[in-house]
Amino acid sequence: GVHRKLDDVKAWQQRDPVMRLVQAMQEQNMLDNVTYTAMGDEIKQIIKLAVKDAKQAEFPAADALLKYVYCE
């Protein structure tokens, strides 16, 4: 794997576009902490359900392996 210096990671975290948007929206009173936290909780639940569904799903047939990978 690639190893990054801690300073490099911190510098990129400050440039995170999602967090920059959240901060800007909070500064403009467009988003409060309660709503932001609720959104995060909802997203985590959606991901948790998607992972559960994926784990329970049957593996696709071998002939479906390349479906939607190349233009048909």
Side-chain angles (χ1 to χ4, degrees):
V2 176
H3 297 283
R4 306 251 185 247
K5 294 179 185 175
L6 186 56
D7 291 340
D8 291 342
V9 173
K10 288 181 180 180
W12 279 103
Q13 286 175 338
Q14 290 177 346
R15 297 176 64 187
D16 179 4
V18 174
M19 289 311 302
R20 290 175 61 198
L21 176 62
V22 168
Q23 290 171 349
M25 291 178 73
Q26 288 175 334
E27 289 171 4
Q28 297 294 319
N29 295 320
M30 299 171 68
L31 180 66
D32 59 35
N33 286 333
V34 173
T35 304
Y36 177 69
T37 301
M39 289 170 53
D41 292 344
E42 182 178 356
I43 291 166
K44 287 176 188 173
Q45 283 302 109
I46 291 169
I47 293 170
K48 186 176 181 179
L49 180 61
V51 169
K52 178 183 173 195
D53 289 348
K55 286 182 177 181
Q56 291 177 351
E58 293 184 25
F59 280 96
D63 62 345
L65 181 65
L66 297 178
K67 190 172 184 172
Y68 306 116
V69 175
Y70 297 102
C71 182
E72 294 180 9

